[in-house]
Every structure is written in structure tokens, then in C-alpha cells.
Amino acid sequence: MRTDIDQLLTDMTLAEKLGQLTMAASSYAVTGPVIAGDSTQAIKDGTIGNLLNMIGAGPTHEMQRLAVEESRMRIPLLIGLDVIHGHRTLFPIPLAEASVFDAAMWELTAREAAKETAADGLALTFAPMLDVSRDPRWGRTAEGPGEDPWLCTQIARAKVRGFQGGNLASEDAVAACAKHFCAYGPVTAGREYASVDISERTLREVHLPAFVAAVDAGVASMMPAFTDLAGIPMTAHRPLLNDYLRGKLGFDGVLISDYNAIGELLKHGVAADLVDAAALALNAGVDIDMMSDAYRRGLPIALERGLVRMEQIDASVRRVLQLKERLGLFDDPYRRGARRETAEALEKRRRLARNVAARSLVLLKNRNDTLPLAASVPRLCVLGPLADAQAEMCGPWAAAGYEGPHVTVLGGLQNALPNTKIRYTAGVAIADGDRGGIAHAVDLCEGADAVVLCLGEAHNMSGEAASRAYPELPGQQGALAEAVFEKTCALKIPLIVILFSGRPLIVPWLDEKADALIAAWFLGSEAGNAIADVLIGRASPSGRTAITWPRALGQVPIFFGERPSGRPASSKDYFTSKFLDVPNEPLYPFGHGLTYGRCTYANLRAEPASVTENDTITVRVDVTNSGARAADETVFLFTRDPVASVARPLLELKGFARAMVPAAATQTVELTLKASELRFLGPDLAQVFEPGTVEILVGPCADRAQLLSTSVRLQA
Ligand code: GLC
């Protein structure tokens, strides 16, 4: 049944309209001039129409009842939550999941997260986060898709499809919210919420594409970033929100401010009071005011002063009501959460969580095939502050999932190796200065056949408001690692390090000393079982890092898509683009990740040799696995335009393919590339397709030395 939105708009008072443009947290808020405490009376008065941070069908249905049965206009609530990487069943953090390079998997985990979210009575998630990041100091790198804009577009599409499903009114669909629009990732010095100042070209080539993809995929809502862009805060950025998003891209969804972001326009120094702030945000196109109360308190005065028009308020209210209508909330506000999920569905989801976790970890190093361990390994020593740390396994943004249970490394190994004698101690805490437990940890190595050392960050050392100036091992973990390394050398037993983090850590020492090194990021509810599966070879490691790992913080920002220097380090001259004290190469390039096979590439060919814009290029390469075990290989396709009307990136990611290559076998892997994907922004930032030769490069990661290269000719 269609809702008569026109009639609602006619009948609503200004206060009720502004209620529909207000979103309040159900719990007390502490950040500034925000709505705090209990919203129930406001819901009955119709002066709050949306909520966030509420969990559970009980509480959400109670709030819906107040709105649809006790308020005058009976408009259902839109209730949202940050479901960033799973809800009650936690999947790997987005930076980890980006490593699977599998769009179907990205979509599936979002679909499953949507089912749990909707089962809790929620109709909106503030995800996917699509901020490209090239600075590991920034804590929110953990929440995003890594460094590459093209990869980010693939993830954007998959996540929007997954969260929203085929029918937004379905009981298991939730509205997605593409965030944070835009260019939040390049905050100054990687410091959270700091100012952003980048070129128009970088904005368009790097930070906008994922949001364009999200709009193409039909994303229902978007969230502007807290940050400014060259002096204009995104929450008040009329050219990008109104003119570009709504005007050029035709985005007709709802723009939801970030938490108190409208109120923070005062801190940005572009608004003298909440009236100014409310007018700036509404004029820019922001529909819902999350938590600053600027719209309810400021817009009536802004109307009187002629700073805004009622038509603008009505247009925003209409978009909010249309979203509620599309979500089926008018038809049945209790649809989401009406049915509990079955035990089978939950068990199946945990199996998925285990599978995607095993595929998200990245085997960074595996000297002399240290891994996999024999399943019959008699004695293991498991050490480190992250070895038996349930709460840490979920990583940042795990609102509902904290209840666990999350499987730790120790738990996973005990499950996988019931006949193995496993000894454990943390040795040190994650971050404090106490070294007292190191001696005992070292002693525990005696008699072991291998040591598994679990190190890294706590779950809250990345994510929001968690920038780190020294993105390294915290506390005394380095001292523990050195002591354990010395002991394992003396005992001539392998040292296997599992590294937990929400970002690439600066760990050249671990790269040098560990026999095997795994980036486990934060893998969610089934972390320990997934890690154990890979350690004993029940699962094959296939993850490929979606972000470059710096060798030194001084290299940051370091990413494969950099534009060339006029004095490249490759030339033997003294005066070249280099550091005196560290090589230019990263510790691990984008796409790096080992399998249990050993793949080499040969016989790259691209057809046809010459193409026009409407053609498709077919690229084939032979992948040979000379290893003794099957390889779950990811093959990347890059391009390089060596001569163009503007300097083009040294490498551009344009595709990937996964191939299961059996031991001692060769497989031909095929990738296709539309020639139109080779368009770029010319000197005047207009899209161009330029005739000329373009390199096609294929290989295991964004290290040119490991790529095979051929070329195609572009014809006008
Ligand atoms: C936070 C985050 C945003 C989140 C919102 C609601 O501050 O910046 O990503 O969706 O507030 O929790």
C-alpha cells in the first residue's frame, strides 16, 4: 500500500517535519551539544523520527510502537547501527576482508550481516565505509577497503547489493549508507578528524569513484565526512553534496550527517551558532541531523531569517519518508525482528565467518615452508598477548558482537589439535611496560616443536579516533619477540608470528626474524579456528594485502598508484627520487600474499593488439604451480599508460582473477578489460580516451619486478 507522502507533508507541523530530520542515539551522548538521554517522549511528540545505536527486536519494536501508535502522525522510525563487519556474528574487519579479492564473498557477508541486523529490528546500517586510505597512522584504515580506488568501487557495489538485497522492503534487507563522503582518508598526518587538502584530480581519480559506484548500485543513503575539503567542511559542502551528488549523479537517497557533524561546523569555524550551522547543512543537502539537534533548534530561526526555505525542509522530509516507504516501514514497522533466526542459520553463518576469515588472513612470509604444521605436531608453545584474547579478535566496530564467543588462537589450536600438548602464556600485556612475564614465556619454549607468537594491537587501537604516530608493536611486545626469537634459534625450532592489527604495522624486524609471519588483522568471531585451519593446512592461505606495508613510517604515504618522478630512483644518477636511509620499496607491496603453492607466470598475451574504445581486451597468462600443495592464487591485472596528456600512475589496478592451481600443474588464467576502462581525466579533468600504447601487466602483486608485461594499441 503506497503511503500518501504529500498528505503527510501537508498535515505535519514544522516541529514534526524537523523531527523527521533528526536522529538521536538511544543511549546518552557525550560529545558536545547533542540530544542526550531518553528519546521516548520526543518520539511520542513526533519530534524525533529516527534513532541510532539501539539493538534488539524488543527495544526497537517498543520505540516503533510509540511512534506508530502514540504519536499524532504515526510515522515509523528509521533505526540504524554501525554494522561494519557483521552484527552478532563478526566477520573480518573490512581491510582484512578486502584481502579476499572476491566480490561474491564481499556481497555474501554483507547479506548475512543484513539478516542479523534486521532480525534485531534495525533497517539501516552505516556501512559500507568507502574511504581510500594510504596512511597506516589513520585508525580508520581498518574500516575501509585499502589504498586502491578501483578495488574500492568493486567493494562498494558488492556491499550495497549485499546489505540492501533485491528488495529493500524485505524483512532481511537494510538500507546501506555509503560513507564518509568524501576524501576522509587523506587527513593531515594521518591524524583523525584533521583537515584535508588534496588536488581536484586526486579527489576525482581516487576518492570519488567508490561513491559513484555506490550510487550506481542504488545505495539508499550516504554520510558526509566529519572533515573539511580544502576549507569547506563536507557537511556544508554544497558543490559536492547538492550539485555533484544530487545534481550530476542523480543520487535521490537520504544524506545523514555524521554524529554531531552539523554542530561541529562551529568548531570548523564556518558557523557562528547552530542556526548558521543548520542553514549551511540544509542548503548543502544534508537531510538528517545526527545528534547535534541543530535542525530542531536552528531551522525555525533560519526560516524566519530567510536563510532557508520551507521547500527545502519539505524536500528533505520527503526523501526521509520515501526511504521509510521503500523499507516497508509504513506497511509493517515490526517486520524486521518479527522472526528469530534459526539455529541452523546461525551455525551456517559461523561457518561462513570461519571460511572468510581463513581467506582474509595474509601469509606474509613462510621461510622454508615452515607452514603448514603437521597435524600430528606433538608439542606447541603458544605465546603473546593476542593468543587468548577473545575481545580483541573482533577488532573495531563490533557493537553487538562483543558478546562473543569469539574463538582465540589458543582456542582454535586446541580445537584443531586435540592430541597436541599445547602450553601457553601471554608473556606481556598488549600495551603496558611490564616485562616480568618474558622469562617465563621463554622458558615455556623448551621442548616445543614450534612456537606460535601472537602479537599486535588491541581492538581499540584502530578504528575511529585511533590514529597512531608510531604504528608499530605496542608496549613490550618487541622485547618479548626478541627474547622468544633468541630462544627458538637456540632450540632450532620455528617461530611463527601471528600479527593482529587494524592497519599495516611497521615490522621490518619481524619480517627478518620470523620463520613464518601472518597478517591476521582482526578476523572476527571465528578468528582462532580460521587461523588454526591455515596453520595446519586444513585451509590454504590466499589473502592478498589490499594496502601497501611500509618498511618505514618515513615512506608514508606509500602506494603503488603514485605518479612518476622526473628523476626516478631506477636511474643510476645520484640526484634521484630516493631516501638516503631506506629503500623506496615497501616491506610488502599491495597484493602480496603467499599460498602453500609456488606459482610462476608465463606466456602473457593480450588480444586484440589494437582496440577502439568500445572493444574488450582479453588477457591470458599461464600460471604454473611448482609447489607440492595446491595454490589458491590471485592474479592481478594492472595497466600503465607511459605517455599521455597528463602524467599517469606507475600502475593502475584494473582487474583480478582467482585460480585454484593444483600442485605441479599449469593453468591458463583469463581476464577481460573493457578498453573504455582506459579512459582517464585529461588536463582539464574531462574524461578522455587517448590513442597510444598502453602496457598490460599481470602478476601476483603491485611489484613491477614480479609482473609480466605486454601492450595494446588504443585507436581513436
Ligand atoms: C561515528 C562515525 C560514523 C558512524 C557514526 C554513527 O562518529 O564517524 O562512521 O556511522 O558516528 O555511529
Side-chain angles (χ1 to χ4, degrees):
M1 179 194 74
R2 280 195 65 74
T3 306
D4 188 343
I5 289 173
D6 291 334
Q7 191 56 54
L8 283 174
L9 278 168
T10 303
D11 297 345
M12 290 165 83
T13 65
L14 175 59
E16 288 164 335
K17 289 179 181 177
L18 298 181
Q20 290 302 312
L21 305 187
T22 298
M23 180 176 276
S26 59
S27 54
Y28 195 80
V30 289
T31 50
V34 295
I35 309 157
D38 185 345
S39 308
T40 49
Q41 187 54 49
I43 292 169
K44 287 189 271 191
D45 299 343
T47 57
I48 282 184
N50 311 285
L51 292 175
L52 76 147
N53 293 354
M54 176 164 276
I55 295 173
T60 51
H61 286 186
E62 175 49 23
M63 294 299 115
Q64 290 291 14
R65 192 193 61 74
L66 294 179
V68 300
E69 294 177 21
E70 297 194 28
S71 80
R72 192 177 76 91
M73 295 306 299
R74 302 183 180 290
I75 297 171
L77 298 167
L78 175 65
I79 307 178
L81 182 73
D82 292 282
V83 179
I84 309 296
H85 55 105
H87 183 49
R88 293 188 186 278
T89 304
L90 288 166
F91 299 115
I93 59 171
L95 183 62
E97 199 189 60
S99 310
V100 302
F101 286 93
D102 180 344
M105 180 61 86
W106 294 325
E107 179 172 346
L108 180 57
T109 56
R111 185 86 295 276
E112 289 302 306
K115 290 176 184 173
E116 286 192 350
T117 306
D120 261 349
L122 298 157
L124 165 71
T125 174
F126 304 114
M129 189 270 215
L130 299 173
D131 301 309
V132 171
S133 170
R134 293 159 166 179
D135 190 331
R137 292 172 292 182
W138 189 45
R140 304 196 81 162
T141 300
E143 297 172 50
E147 75 180 58
D148 183 66
W150 181 86
L151 175 61
C152 199
T153 63
Q154 308 305 305
I155 291 174
R157 289 195 187 92
K159 290 300 178 187
V160 169
R161 282 196 307 264
F163 284 126
Q164 299 189 169
N167 170 13
L168 207 47
S170 160
E171 66 172 345
D172 67 0
V174 293
C177 179
K179 72 183 186 182
H180 305 80
F181 186 81
C182 58
Y184 187 179
V187 282
T188 302
R191 182 166 30 84
E192 181 61 294
Y193 311 129
S195 176
V196 173
D197 206 333
I198 56 175
S199 71
E200 182 70 19
R201 178 173 296 280
T202 298
L203 170 69
R204 296 190 191 195
E205 288 181 349
V206 177
H207 299 286
L208 283 180
F211 293 97
V212 175
V215 172
D216 287 350
V219 70
S221 67
M222 294 178 89
M223 182 185 288
F226 280 124
T227 42
D228 76 307
L229 178 57
I232 303 178
M234 284 313 304
T235 304
H237 206 298
R238 190 169 187 161
L240 278 174
L241 297 180
N242 230 24
D243 307 345
Y244 177 75
L245 258 188
R246 294 207 193 283
K248 188 167 183 327
L249 295 189
F251 174 64
D252 61 358
V254 173
L255 278 171
I256 304 170
S257 85
D258 204 334
Y259 196 109
N260 189 37
I262 298 176
E264 286 161 18
L265 293 176
L266 281 73
K267 295 281 196 330
H268 278 285
V270 296
D273 53 29
L274 278 185
V275 176
D276 279 358
L280 279 170
L282 189 76
N283 285 324
V286 176
D287 297 312
I288 291 182
D289 167 11
M290 182 193 285
M291 286 303 289
S292 74
D293 214 10
Y295 277 11
R296 289 195 314 178
R297 290 160 57 186
L299 285 182
I301 301 167
L303 271 172
E304 285 167 14
R305 293 183 190 165
L307 300 175
V308 298
R309 290 175 286 102
M310 181 57 82
E311 293 75 24
Q312 293 171 279
I313 292 172
D314 287 350
S316 285
V317 174
R318 179 181 299 279
R319 285 190 286 265
V320 173
L321 296 179
Q322 284 169 337
L323 176 55
K324 292 182 177 182
E325 158 96 295
R326 288 179 59 206
L327 284 162
L329 291 170
F330 282 99
D331 283 350
D332 179 358
Y334 309 107
R335 180 175 298 160
R336 290 173 181 83
R339 288 189 302 151
R340 292 186 62 78
E341 290 203 273
T342 63
E344 291 73 21
L346 294 173
E347 187 43 45
K348 185 179 173 194
R349 195 166 296 130
R350 282 202 73 112
R351 288 198 297 274
L352 170 65
R354 181 168 179 166
N355 174 16
V356 67
R359 291 182 53 189
S360 298
L361 64 81
V362 180
L363 180 55
L364 296 171
K365 180 182 180 186
N366 191 20
R367 178 161 49 203
N368 305 328
D369 292 336
T370 297
L371 293 175
L373 293 169
S376 58
V377 57
R379 290 170 303 280
L380 269 186
C381 179
V382 179
L383 303 174
L386 275 299
D388 195 30
Q390 260 218 56
E392 310 308 343
M393 295 299 103
C394 41
W397 287 118
Y402 272 124
E403 294 157 20
H406 310 309
V407 184
T408 66
V409 175
L410 179 64
L413 286 169
Q414 288 165 337
N415 295 339
L417 300 168
N419 303 317
T420 299
K421 184 172 172 41
I422 298 176
R423 290 184 288 181
Y424 156 73
T425 187
V428 295
I430 290 175
D432 80 20
D434 179 6
R435 296 187 174 199
I438 291 179
H440 174 54
V442 169
D443 292 346
L444 228 51
C445 299
E446 284 291 346
D449 297 284
V451 171
V452 178
L453 176 59
C454 303
L455 304 172
E457 296 179 321
H459 73 278
N460 57 5
M461 289 180 173
S462 62
E464 185 173 1
S467 289
R468 294 183 66 205
Y470 292 97
E472 303 164 345
L473 284 177
Q476 297 304 322
Q477 295 185 50
L480 172 66
E482 286 171 16
V484 170
F485 169 69
E486 200 174 317
K487 185 68 174 180
T488 53
C489 284
L491 296 172
K492 293 187 174 43
I493 59 174
L495 172 58
I496 299 151
V497 177
I498 317 284
L499 193 57
F500 292 87
S501 65
R503 52 168 56 91
L505 294 180
I506 310 293
V507 288
W509 185 91
L510 284 182
D511 169 62
E512 187 189 335
K513 303 296 185 186
D515 293 294
L517 179 59
I518 286 178
W521 315 106
F522 291 105
L523 294 173
S525 302
E526 285 290 315
N529 283 331
I531 291 168
D533 288 343
V534 170
L535 290 180
I536 67 170
R538 196 155 46 191
S540 170
S542 59
R544 314 296 274 254
T545 176
I547 189 166
T548 301
W549 284 59
R551 185 180 300 278
L553 187 58
Q555 293 178 309
V556 170
I558 179 171
F559 55 98
F560 73 83
E562 191 179 341
R563 271 184 247 287
S565 160
R567 295 188 168 187
S570 53
S571 60
K572 294 305 162 212
D573 198 325
Y574 176 80
F575 299 95
T576 59
S577 176
K578 67 175 182 304
F579 297 99
L580 292 178
D581 47 1
V582 70
N584 287 3
E585 291 70 32
L587 186 63
Y588 305 113
F590 173 98
H592 175 74
L594 306 177
T595 69
Y596 283 154
R598 202 175 305 290
C599 290
T600 53
Y601 291 65
N603 194 17
L604 173 66
R605 58 270 192 203
E607 284 110 17
S610 177
V611 293
T612 63
E613 189 170 352
N614 302 319
D615 290 331
T616 296
I617 302 162
T618 300
V619 179
R620 294 183 181 88
V621 68
D622 297 338
V623 181
T624 298
N625 175 9
S626 59
R629 301 174 73 92
D632 185 348
E633 183 74 359
T634 300
V635 177
F636 293 102
L637 189 159
F638 297 95
T639 60
R640 163 81 180 125
D641 189 343
V643 180
S645 54
V646 293
R648 308 289 300 124
L650 289 166
L651 284 177
E652 289 180 81
L653 180 63
K654 295 289 185 186
F656 58 81
R658 293 182 61 244
M660 287 300 286
V661 188
T666 294
Q667 243 180 42
T668 297
V669 176
E670 182 175 299
L671 303 103
T672 56
L673 170 62
K674 292 194 179 90
S676 58
E677 293 267 311
L678 299 174
R679 284 191 301 233
F680 63 93
L681 300 181
D684 57 359
L685 294 176
Q687 284 261 348
V688 293
F689 180 83
E690 285 185 353
T693 299
V694 170
E695 270 193 285
I696 303 283
L697 303 105
V698 172
C701 65
D703 171 8
R704 191 168 177 120
Q706 300 183 53
L707 298 176
L708 296 181
S709 164
T710 183
S711 63
V712 294
R713 183 132 192 86
L714 307 189
Q715 309 285 5

